[in-house]
Protein backbone atom coordinates (compact mmCIF):
# COMPACT_ATOMS: atom_id res chain seq x y z
CA UNK A 1 0.00 0.00 0.00
CA UNK A 2 1.18 3.51 -0.81
CA UNK A 3 0.05 7.06 -0.19
CA UNK A 4 -2.46 8.17 -2.77
CA UNK A 5 -0.65 11.41 -3.66
CA UNK A 6 2.53 9.40 -4.25
CA UNK A 7 0.76 6.89 -6.48
CA UNK A 8 -0.67 9.70 -8.61
CA UNK A 9 2.67 11.53 -8.79
CA UNK A 10 4.42 8.29 -9.77
CA UNK A 11 2.41 8.19 -12.96
CA UNK A 12 4.45 11.20 -14.05
CA UNK A 13 1.29 13.12 -14.95
CA UNK A 14 1.11 15.36 -11.87
CA UNK A 15 3.51 16.70 -9.29
CA UNK A 16 2.94 15.60 -5.72
CA UNK A 17 1.47 19.05 -4.99
CA UNK A 18 -0.95 18.88 -7.92
CA UNK A 19 -1.95 15.35 -6.89
CA UNK A 20 -2.76 16.57 -3.36
CA UNK A 21 -4.90 19.39 -4.74
CA UNK A 22 -6.84 16.98 -7.00
CA UNK A 23 -7.48 14.62 -4.09
CA UNK A 24 -8.58 17.42 -1.72
CA UNK A 25 -10.93 18.74 -4.40
CA UNK A 26 -12.68 15.35 -4.43
CA UNK A 27 -11.74 14.71 -8.07
CA UNK A 28 -10.01 11.36 -7.48
CA UNK A 29 -11.67 7.97 -7.04
CA UNK A 30 -10.09 4.69 -5.95
CA UNK A 31 -12.03 1.63 -7.02
CA UNK A 32 -15.04 3.87 -7.52
CA UNK A 33 -14.93 5.60 -4.12
CA UNK A 34 -14.04 9.27 -3.89
CA UNK A 35 -10.85 9.86 -1.94
CA UNK A 36 -10.54 12.83 0.36
CA UNK A 37 -7.06 12.80 1.87
CA UNK A 38 -3.68 12.67 0.08
CA UNK A 39 -2.22 10.55 2.88
CA UNK A 40 -4.85 7.85 2.36
CA UNK A 41 -3.20 4.54 1.49
CA UNK A 42 -4.14 2.59 -1.62
CA UNK A 43 -2.96 -0.42 -3.58
CA UNK A 44 -1.05 0.89 -6.64
CA UNK A 45 -2.81 -1.81 -8.67
CA UNK A 46 -6.27 -0.41 -7.75
CA UNK A 47 -8.48 1.37 -10.29
CA UNK A 48 -7.93 5.12 -10.15
CA UNK A 49 -9.84 7.85 -11.92
CA UNK A 50 -9.52 11.62 -12.07
CA UNK A 51 -12.71 13.47 -12.99
CA UNK A 52 -14.13 10.08 -13.91
CA UNK A 53 -11.28 9.43 -16.41
CA UNK A 54 -9.53 6.14 -15.61
CA UNK A 55 -5.76 6.34 -15.11
CA UNK A 56 -3.25 3.66 -14.40
CA UNK A 57 -1.80 3.96 -10.90
CA UNK A 58 1.22 2.13 -12.10
CA UNK A 59 4.58 3.76 -12.25
CA UNK A 60 6.14 4.73 -15.55
CA UNK A 61 9.03 2.36 -16.24
CA UNK A 62 11.82 2.74 -18.80
CA UNK A 63 14.20 -0.15 -19.43
CA UNK A 64 17.11 -0.53 -21.79
CA UNK A 65 17.30 -4.10 -23.05
CA UNK A 66 20.07 -5.81 -24.98
CA UNK A 67 17.80 -7.91 -27.16
CA UNK A 68 19.20 -11.30 -28.12
CA UNK A 69 18.22 -13.04 -31.36
CA UNK A 70 15.31 -15.47 -31.14
CA UNK A 71 12.74 -13.30 -29.35
CA UNK A 72 9.98 -11.25 -30.91
CA UNK A 73 9.56 -7.54 -30.14
CA UNK A 74 5.97 -7.79 -28.96
CA UNK A 75 4.07 -8.12 -25.72
CA UNK A 76 2.37 -11.37 -26.73
CA UNK A 77 2.78 -13.90 -29.46
CA UNK A 78 0.86 -17.11 -29.93
CA UNK A 79 3.87 -19.11 -31.12
CA UNK A 80 7.15 -17.48 -30.16
CA UNK A 81 8.68 -16.15 -26.97
CA UNK A 82 8.68 -12.36 -26.65
CA UNK A 83 11.26 -9.99 -25.21
CA UNK A 84 9.07 -9.64 -22.10
CA UNK A 85 10.01 -13.19 -21.11
CA UNK A 86 13.43 -11.77 -20.14
CA UNK A 87 11.88 -9.70 -17.35
CA UNK A 88 11.05 -10.80 -13.82
CA UNK A 89 7.41 -11.44 -13.02
CA UNK A 90 6.74 -8.08 -11.31
CA UNK A 91 7.92 -6.17 -14.39
CA UNK A 92 5.74 -8.23 -16.70
CA UNK A 93 2.66 -6.83 -15.01
CA UNK A 94 3.23 -3.09 -15.44
CA UNK A 95 2.16 -2.77 -19.06
CA UNK A 96 5.60 -2.57 -20.67
CA UNK A 97 5.89 -2.78 -24.44
CA UNK A 98 8.81 -2.40 -26.86
CA UNK A 99 9.09 1.14 -28.23
CA UNK A 100 9.86 0.15 -31.80
CA UNK A 101 10.49 -3.30 -33.16
CA UNK A 102 13.56 -5.29 -33.99
CA UNK A 103 13.24 -8.41 -36.13
CA UNK A 104 13.37 -11.72 -34.32
CA UNK A 105 16.93 -12.33 -35.49
CA UNK A 106 18.11 -8.74 -34.83
CA UNK A 107 20.01 -7.99 -31.63
CA UNK A 108 20.74 -4.86 -29.68
CA UNK A 109 19.13 -1.82 -28.16
CA UNK A 110 15.44 -2.03 -27.36
CA UNK A 111 13.57 0.39 -25.13
CA UNK A 112 10.80 -1.13 -23.04
CA UNK A 113 8.38 1.28 -21.44
CA UNK A 114 4.78 1.75 -20.38
CA UNK A 115 4.91 5.45 -21.30
CA UNK A 116 2.69 5.49 -24.37
CA UNK A 117 3.00 9.20 -25.19
CA UNK A 118 6.81 9.10 -25.00
CA UNK A 119 7.02 5.98 -27.19
CA UNK A 120 4.62 7.55 -29.64
CA UNK A 121 6.78 10.67 -29.91
CA UNK A 122 9.96 8.65 -30.41
CA UNK A 123 8.42 6.54 -33.15
CA UNK A 124 6.45 9.25 -34.96
CA UNK A 125 7.68 9.12 -38.57
CA UNK A 126 7.80 12.92 -38.88
CA UNK A 127 10.33 13.18 -36.05
CA UNK A 128 12.99 11.21 -37.91
CA UNK A 129 14.69 9.92 -34.77
CA UNK A 130 18.00 8.40 -35.94
CA UNK A 131 18.79 4.76 -35.24
CA UNK A 132 22.21 3.25 -35.87
CA UNK A 133 22.86 -0.41 -36.60
CA UNK A 134 25.96 -2.52 -36.98
CA UNK A 135 25.49 -4.73 -40.02
CA UNK A 136 27.33 -7.65 -41.58
CA UNK A 137 26.45 -8.72 -45.11
CA UNK A 138 27.24 -11.61 -47.37
CA UNK A 139 29.45 -9.66 -49.75
CA UNK A 140 31.56 -6.54 -49.57
CA UNK A 141 30.17 -3.08 -48.87
CA UNK A 142 31.58 -0.29 -50.97
CA UNK A 143 31.19 3.39 -51.80
CA UNK A 144 28.45 2.67 -54.34
CA UNK A 145 26.30 1.21 -51.55
CA UNK A 146 26.93 4.27 -49.38
CA UNK A 147 26.01 6.54 -52.30
CA UNK A 148 22.80 4.60 -52.94
CA UNK A 149 21.84 4.84 -49.25
CA UNK A 150 22.61 8.57 -49.16
CA UNK A 151 20.50 9.22 -52.25
CA UNK A 152 17.37 7.60 -50.77
CA UNK A 153 16.58 4.25 -52.34
CA UNK A 154 13.34 3.22 -54.00
CA UNK A 155 13.11 -0.55 -53.97
CA UNK A 156 11.56 -2.79 -56.60
CA UNK A 157 8.96 -3.84 -54.01
CA UNK A 158 7.82 -0.20 -53.83
CA UNK A 159 9.54 0.78 -50.57
CA UNK A 160 10.64 4.42 -50.73
CA UNK A 161 13.48 5.08 -48.28
CA UNK A 162 14.64 8.40 -46.90
CA UNK A 163 18.36 9.13 -47.27
CA UNK A 164 20.29 6.84 -44.93
CA UNK A 165 23.89 6.70 -43.73
CA UNK A 166 26.29 3.87 -44.45
CA UNK A 167 29.73 4.01 -42.90
CA UNK A 168 31.91 1.19 -44.16
CA UNK A 169 34.01 -0.46 -41.48
CA UNK A 170 37.41 -2.03 -41.87
CA UNK A 171 36.28 -5.63 -41.54
CA UNK A 172 35.05 -6.56 -45.04
CA UNK A 173 31.27 -6.79 -45.32
CA UNK A 174 30.56 -4.74 -42.19
CA UNK A 175 29.27 -1.24 -41.69
CA UNK A 176 27.21 1.17 -39.62
CA UNK A 177 23.82 2.04 -41.03
CA UNK A 178 21.90 5.09 -39.83
CA UNK A 179 18.18 5.24 -40.55
CA UNK A 180 15.88 8.15 -39.80
CA UNK A 181 12.82 5.93 -40.04
CA UNK A 182 12.01 2.30 -39.33
CA UNK A 183 10.07 0.48 -41.99
CA UNK A 184 9.48 -3.26 -41.99
CA UNK A 185 12.77 -5.18 -42.54
CA UNK A 186 14.16 -1.94 -43.88
CA UNK A 187 17.90 -2.58 -43.71
CA UNK A 188 17.53 -6.14 -44.92
CA UNK A 189 15.46 -4.96 -47.86
CA UNK A 190 17.81 -2.10 -48.74
CA UNK A 191 20.85 -4.35 -48.69
CA UNK A 192 19.10 -7.22 -50.48
CA UNK A 193 18.35 -4.70 -53.22
CA UNK A 194 22.10 -4.06 -53.40
CA UNK A 195 22.69 -7.81 -53.80
CA UNK A 196 24.29 -8.03 -50.33
CA UNK A 197 22.02 -9.92 -47.98
CA UNK A 198 22.26 -9.14 -44.27
CA UNK A 199 23.68 -11.96 -42.18
CA UNK A 200 23.83 -10.11 -38.85
CA UNK A 201 22.18 -6.96 -37.55
CA UNK A 202 22.47 -5.21 -34.20
CA UNK A 203 20.98 -1.87 -33.15
CA UNK A 204 23.43 0.36 -31.33
CA UNK A 205 21.58 3.64 -30.85
CA UNK A 206 18.13 5.15 -30.91
CA UNK A 207 17.99 8.95 -30.72
CA UNK A 208 20.03 9.94 -27.67
CA UNK A 209 20.17 6.36 -26.29
CA UNK A 210 23.19 4.10 -26.85
CA UNK A 211 23.31 0.43 -26.00
CA UNK A 212 25.24 0.13 -22.74
CA UNK A 213 28.33 -1.98 -23.54
CA UNK A 214 28.13 -3.43 -20.02
CA UNK A 215 24.77 -5.08 -20.81
CA UNK A 216 25.17 -8.70 -21.84
CA UNK A 217 22.80 -10.12 -24.44
CA UNK A 218 19.44 -10.67 -22.75
CA UNK A 219 20.26 -8.26 -19.90
CA UNK A 220 18.42 -5.03 -19.11
CA UNK A 221 18.62 -2.09 -16.76
CA UNK A 222 16.50 0.97 -15.98
CA UNK A 223 17.39 4.10 -17.93
CA UNK A 224 19.48 6.58 -15.97
CA UNK A 225 17.99 9.98 -15.12
CA UNK A 226 20.22 11.53 -17.82
CA UNK A 227 19.07 9.07 -20.47
CA UNK A 228 15.45 9.64 -19.58
CA UNK A 229 15.74 13.39 -19.69
CA UNK A 230 17.54 13.20 -23.06
CA UNK A 231 14.73 10.98 -24.40
CA UNK A 232 12.08 13.32 -23.10
CA UNK A 233 13.60 16.21 -24.98
CA UNK A 234 13.50 14.40 -28.35
N1 LIG B 1 16.06 -3.20 -40.30
C1 LIG B 1 15.82 -4.52 -40.42
O1 LIG B 1 15.85 -5.06 -41.51
N2 LIG B 1 15.57 -5.22 -39.30
C2 LIG B 1 15.55 -4.69 -38.08
O2 LIG B 1 15.32 -5.39 -37.08
C3 LIG B 1 15.80 -3.32 -37.95
C4 LIG B 1 16.05 -2.58 -39.09
Amino acid sequence: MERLDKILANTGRWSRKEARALIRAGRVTVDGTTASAPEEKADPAARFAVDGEPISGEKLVYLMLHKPAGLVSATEDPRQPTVLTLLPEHLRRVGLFPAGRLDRDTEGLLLLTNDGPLAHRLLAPRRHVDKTYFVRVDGVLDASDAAAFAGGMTLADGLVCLPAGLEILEEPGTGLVTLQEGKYHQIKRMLAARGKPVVYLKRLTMGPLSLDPALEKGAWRPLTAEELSALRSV
Side-chain angles (χ1 to χ4, degrees):
M1 302 289 272
E2 275 186 52
R3 279 177 63 116
L4 190 50
D5 56 349
K6 183 157 180 246
I7 295 173
L8 292 188
N10 274 347
T11 64
R13 292 170 182 80
W14 301 279
S15 67
R16 195 85 175 242
K17 190 169 161 203
E18 289 163 343
R20 284 198 282 267
L22 286 172
I23 299 162
R24 290 206 182 95
R27 295 169 60 187
V28 177
T29 56
V30 182
D31 286 335
T33 304
T34 303
S36 53
E39 57 279 2
E40 230 170 77
K41 294 275 173 67
D43 178 349
R47 280 180 301 113
F48 300 91
V50 173
D51 295 333
E53 192 75 34
I55 54 151
S56 155
E58 269 159 348
K59 204 175 153 166
L60 292 177
V61 175
Y62 306 86
L63 306 179
M64 174 187 291
L65 170 72
H66 184 164
K67 180 192 174 297
L71 298 177
V72 293
S73 299
T75 53
E76 299 176 37
D77 190 279
R79 285 175 301 274
Q80 295 164 339
T82 73
V83 290
L84 292 189
T85 59
L86 294 168
L87 302 180
E89 193 53 39
H90 74 279
L91 283 173
R92 290 202 221 168
R93 284 188 269 107
V94 300
L96 294 176
F97 58 87
R101 282 168 182 261
L102 291 177
D103 296 338
R104 198 168 88 96
D105 57 355
T106 301
E107 299 180 350
L109 175 65
L110 195 63
L111 172 67
L112 298 174
T113 184
N114 53 4
D115 185 341
L118 180 110
H120 191 77
R121 272 208 311 285
L122 273 180
L123 302 174
R126 67 187 168 82
R127 287 195 192 253
H128 303 306
V129 173
D130 278 357
K131 292 132 210 137
T132 309
Y133 298 79
F134 170 81
V135 67
R136 180 174 289 119
V137 297
D138 182 5
V140 175
L141 293 168
D142 59 35
S144 70
D145 300 313
F149 272 44
M153 296 173 68
T154 297
L155 308 188
D157 63 14
L159 181 70
V160 178
C161 306
L162 290 172
L166 172 60
E167 183 189 334
I168 296 162
L169 298 176
E170 218 167 300
E171 185 193 335
T174 67
L176 294 177
V177 174
T178 302
L179 295 184
Q180 43 171 330
E181 56 189 342
K183 294 181 174 145
Y184 183 65
H185 289 342
Q186 185 161 351
I187 295 177
K188 290 175 184 164
R189 288 158 77 188
M190 289 168 78
L191 284 163
R194 303 288 309 159
K196 300 172 186 181
V198 169
V199 295
Y200 176 77
L201 190 59
K202 176 179 184 180
R203 180 155 65 191
L204 303 176
T205 72
M206 179 161 87
L209 283 189
S210 293
L211 180 64
D212 184 338
L215 280 183
E216 304 278 339
K217 263 183 236 179
W220 56 273
R221 65 158 172 79
L223 293 192
T224 64
E226 291 73 31
E227 287 167 337
L228 184 54
S229 96
L231 263 193
R232 284 194 167 128
S233 56
V234 161

